[in-house]
Amino acid sequence: MKHTTKALIAAMTLCVSASAVASSHREAPSITKTPKVDATDFYMFNSYENNRADYVTIIANYLPLQDAYGGPNYFALDDDALYEIHIDNNGDAVEDITFQFDFTQNLNSIEIDSDGNPSTAKVAIPLSNAGDASVAANVQTSESYDVTMVKGDRRSGSRTDLGNFKKPFDYIGTKSFADYPTYARSFIKPLNLGSCGTGKVFVGQRAESFAIDLGRVFDLINLNPLGARNGGTNILADKNITSIAMEVPKACLVNATGNDPVIGAWTTASVRQATLVNGNPASGISTTAKKGGAWTQVSRLGMPLVNEVVIGLKDKDKFNASEPKDDLAKFAPYVQYPTLPALIETLYGDAGAVAPTNFPRQDLITAFLTGVPTINKPANPKQVPADMLRLNTSTPAVAAANQNDLGVISIIPGQNDGRPSANAKDVAGFPNGRRPGDDVTDIALRVSMGALCHAGLPADVTCVPEDAKAGKGLFTDGALKPATEFDSVFPYLTTPTPGSR
């Protein structure tokens, strides 16, 4: 192929997939305008904290690419939005349980006598805090949130109020917070879930949990995908995100009437349909607009990389507004006839990157829409294929130090280059749920190039090694953040980067 044609296809690749390897950061045109409701990463795993084997941890990250020094307003979540985590526990791609998070931002205007004259009016300060920010009275704004559990349809099902909780202020810097880790941990609270037990909840700023060499990705995918797994730079290392984290007893999540331990989950954010901008806002916060109408979903995330690697640019907003039960009807061609492998072959065919030939790609249906047989596929024979993160709650958790960051594909001969190499077969990781340390970019690259065709899995995969000549290739983006760089206790994601040190 002529060099100019290669360059053109390389540019096309950016449109289709460059944002893909940035997990779900700014993944669709419309969501870039409303970052407060942009879901960045979604995790669900059997808790590996000591003595928490009966729990599942679920983490939904929002508000991407936070610069730690981004004051004075920092990164409050949208108090006009509804953030949700949905659970499907019978394989029909419809929520059976929804946890809703509804935020409120409050103003504590701090006003001072700046001229020393007690007869003149006090004036509001421009900064977020006046003094030690771990003392609520010294901070100008605060956030609280209501948690509601809904059984059945997210809008019309039976509702249970789980309580009102406070969110820690973002990490302004080390002068405002002498001990931010201790301050933030004080916001981890018990979550009473009634007859099935008590879990935990935490919402707050955390260090960015995803790792990627973004600069090279956007420079025409200027990577070495068949090179060393530690050959890249994690350009997100100093960024923060905001996490909605829950630890829930397994008994609260699985279907009580069946024997299937597999659950599916995804997170969404919704806003009101109408916004009326106020051209003459009053003093206060959130006074510049009035919003009303029905809740309208604008963000959706289950399996990582689907909206980025799989869904075409023209349908990314459509995907964010859709529900899992409609995936096969609306988006099946993107999974069955993916463009990314062909583009990878065009760019890196000389290095051995040959796209699979098994069309339609049933192996990708298995990976993204049904779950892997014998590992995390629901028992329901009438399962509805859909994009969601699936977890087999009966799979024993693996301690952080022993996790293989390549998860399930570590069972495939030739793919055991994860960390640590001694734990060569770790089926407790992605796509059997997703742990913070799982390298989902490398896993997705390898699966898209046919790794499952070499796995010897049951007939659901319907491909063989001859269909995927590059399927044993050790594709990588080169950036790593293994499980040992995260905490081993809830909420697992680590202390955010401070605005100043």
Side-chain angles (χ1 to χ4, degrees), residues 111-114 120-124:
E111 301 171 5
I112 63 173
D113 178 5
S114 60
T120 58
K122 292 184 177 181
V123 180

Side-chain angles (χ1 to χ4, degrees), residues 8 12 22 29 137 140 160 214 318 346 362 436:
L8 176 62
M12 291 168 56
Q140 293 221 73
T160 302
L214 272 182
K318 182 178 180 179
T346 299
Q362 181 60 39

